[in-house]
Amino acid sequence: MYVSDLALDFVESLEVEGGRSRNTTRNYELYLARLTEFGGEELKPKDITPEWLRKYRLWLNRYETSQGKGLSVMTQAYHLIALRGFLKYLAKRNIESLPPSLVELPRTHRAQVTFLHVDEIERILAEVPLDTETGLRDRAILELLFSTGLRVSELIRLNRDSINLDRKEFVVRGKGQKDRPVFVSDSAAMAIADYLEERKDSLPALFLNNSKNQPPVGTTGDYRRLTPRSVERIVEKYVREAGITKHVTPHTLRHSFATDLLMNGADLRSVQAMLGHSDISTTQIYTHVTDMQLKNVHEKFHSETD
């Protein structure tokens, strides 16, 4: 069989057996399509050799999009991650090809994490008006994002019955269809309760857009759910009104949640679990906090000579 056919089987297995989201599998489709773009339609697994890989990496490094832009080092790494996963799939099927261990990833610089301090969060919350349903909704969204570290995709899928406001906890299904416990602060629970009390509809979605249209008979009203872009606009609006000049997105609040936990003594493994990271290396982007903790430990416990 050709690589193009096997790559399609691999992507389908990721979705069906691996529980990966459609967004993830679309990315894998794109990255693996480059194999055929480089090697041709008749590329076979046995054609993928160390020399072929060397030339492919060089091709990726020189690749230009239709806009004349090259691929970043991180994007090239994603292509190689997809290739390595594909080679592991071939190995499981006893199809002769390059050993996955020979695919080495390029060195990438650690991204700088933008986060907000608690006083900045308080400044943002202070800008939200609480005399309208929209304001109550926006306050509940901001409080919940900072309180839980939810991804936007997880937030917009929540229903009213998703959260137990008495116990202040719930379970969310994140990336890879993995469930994790989520704990809600008192202030976030109160903000959600205030918002729901103001709601006059019976739609299941926890957060709704401001459309006054009545849902068609027999529908769930899902068309009224907020979109990721809508949540981004909500965050951007109050950040701007609070006079904060940092580039802040909903994901910044997730970073802020993790940073606040670590600054208050939480260990990296616990933060990993609360964020739903499958690999501790993903959580290690927060070394801007753990590095500072190491410095404090050094200053506190290391004796100096006279």
Side-chain angles (χ1 to χ4, degrees):
M1 292 182 70
Y2 296 121
V3 164
S4 56
D5 298 320
L6 291 166
L8 180 60
D9 293 342
F10 168 57
V11 170
E12 289 176 348
S13 74
L14 286 176
E15 187 171 358
V16 176
E17 300 164 20
R20 301 294 184 90
S21 69
R22 189 67 189 108
N23 284 340
T24 298
T25 56
R26 281 197 198 99
N27 288 335
Y28 269 77
E29 283 181 63
L30 170 64
Y31 301 143
L32 293 175
R34 296 263 162 83
L35 297 177
T36 304
E37 187 177 345
F38 170 69
E41 293 290 339
E42 297 186 357
L43 178 68
K44 296 179 180 179
K46 66 179 182 180
D47 298 330
I48 302 178
T49 63
E51 178 60 17
W52 184 95
L53 176 61
R54 184 190 70 80
K55 292 179 179 178
Y56 177 59
R57 296 185 68 149
L58 185 61
W59 180 79
L60 284 175
N61 193 55
R62 296 175 177 176
Y63 188 90
E64 287 190 357
T65 66
S66 56
Q67 290 79 35
K69 295 181 179 179
L71 302 178
S72 69
V73 174
M74 185 61 73
T75 301
Q76 292 176 50
Y78 289 148
H79 282 74
L80 296 172
I81 290 169
L83 172 59
R84 190 161 61 183
F86 175 58
L87 293 174
K88 288 180 181 178
Y89 172 75
L90 295 181
K92 287 181 181 178
R93 292 185 54 177
N94 294 317
I95 297 174
E96 181 185 355
S97 190
L98 185 74
S101 60
L102 295 183
V103 180
E104 296 183 0
L105 302 183
R107 291 181 179 272
T108 56
H109 296 291
R110 190 173 74 201
Q112 182 66 42
V113 174
T114 299
F115 66 94
L116 297 169
H117 294 281
V118 173
D119 64 309
E120 292 175 309
I121 297 288
E122 291 173 348
R123 282 168 54 192
I124 293 170
L125 293 174
E127 295 299 324
V128 184
L130 302 180
D131 56 351
T132 66
E133 182 180 320
T134 297
L136 291 171
R137 178 203 66 188
D138 295 350
R139 172 83 182 217
I141 288 172
L142 293 168
E143 289 268 18
L144 189 60
L145 285 173
F146 179 64
S147 165
T148 62
L150 284 173
R151 301 178 177 95
V152 174
S153 58
E154 297 165 346
L155 178 106
I156 63 176
R157 289 198 303 265
L158 292 175
N159 288 331
R160 290 178 189 241
D161 60 3
S162 297
I163 301 180
N164 186 322
L165 292 178
D166 293 325
R167 297 183 62 181
K168 301 182 183 65
E169 63 182 68
F170 61 99
V171 173
V172 68
R173 178 154 294 179
K175 287 185 175 181
Q177 299 300 301
K178 294 179 180 177
D179 294 339
R180 72 178 188 278
V182 174
F183 306 99
V184 184
S185 67
D186 290 342
S187 59
M190 187 178 301
I192 293 169
D194 290 344
Y195 167 55
L196 292 179
E197 186 176 349
E198 189 69 18
R199 289 256 300 265
K200 308 303 180 188
D201 62 88
S202 58
L203 297 176
L206 180 58
F207 297 114
L208 298 177
N209 63 36
N210 293 326
S211 170
K212 299 301 181 182
N213 297 329
Q214 293 299 314
V217 177
T219 69
T220 62
D222 273 352
Y223 77 100
R224 291 272 316 267
R225 285 184 189 272
L226 289 173
T227 64
R229 182 61 188 130
S230 297
V231 179
E232 287 176 11
R233 290 193 185 101
I234 289 168
V235 172
E236 289 169 357
K237 173 185 176 182
Y238 296 111
V239 167
R240 183 173 60 251
E241 292 179 358
I244 293 172
T245 57
K246 296 177 182 177
H247 176 63
V248 178
T249 68
H251 211 73
T252 308
L253 296 178
R254 180 170 161 87
H255 290 323
S256 305
F257 163 77
T259 300
D260 188 61
L261 285 171
L262 289 164
M263 282 183 169
N264 283 288
D267 63 276
L268 209 57
R269 288 287 181 185
S270 297
V271 174
Q272 175 192 1
M274 283 187 269
L275 290 173
H277 288 162
S278 58
D279 194 323
I280 190 66
S281 63
T282 308
T283 319
Q284 285 171 340
I285 62 170
Y286 299 107
T287 51
H288 64 282
V289 180
T290 53
D291 287 351
M292 181 59 68
Q293 288 177 331
L294 289 174
K295 179 182 178 182
N296 293 338
V297 169
H298 177 272
E299 290 177 349
K300 182 176 181 180
F301 296 106
H302 182 60
S303 301
E304 293 185 16
T305 58
D306 292 332

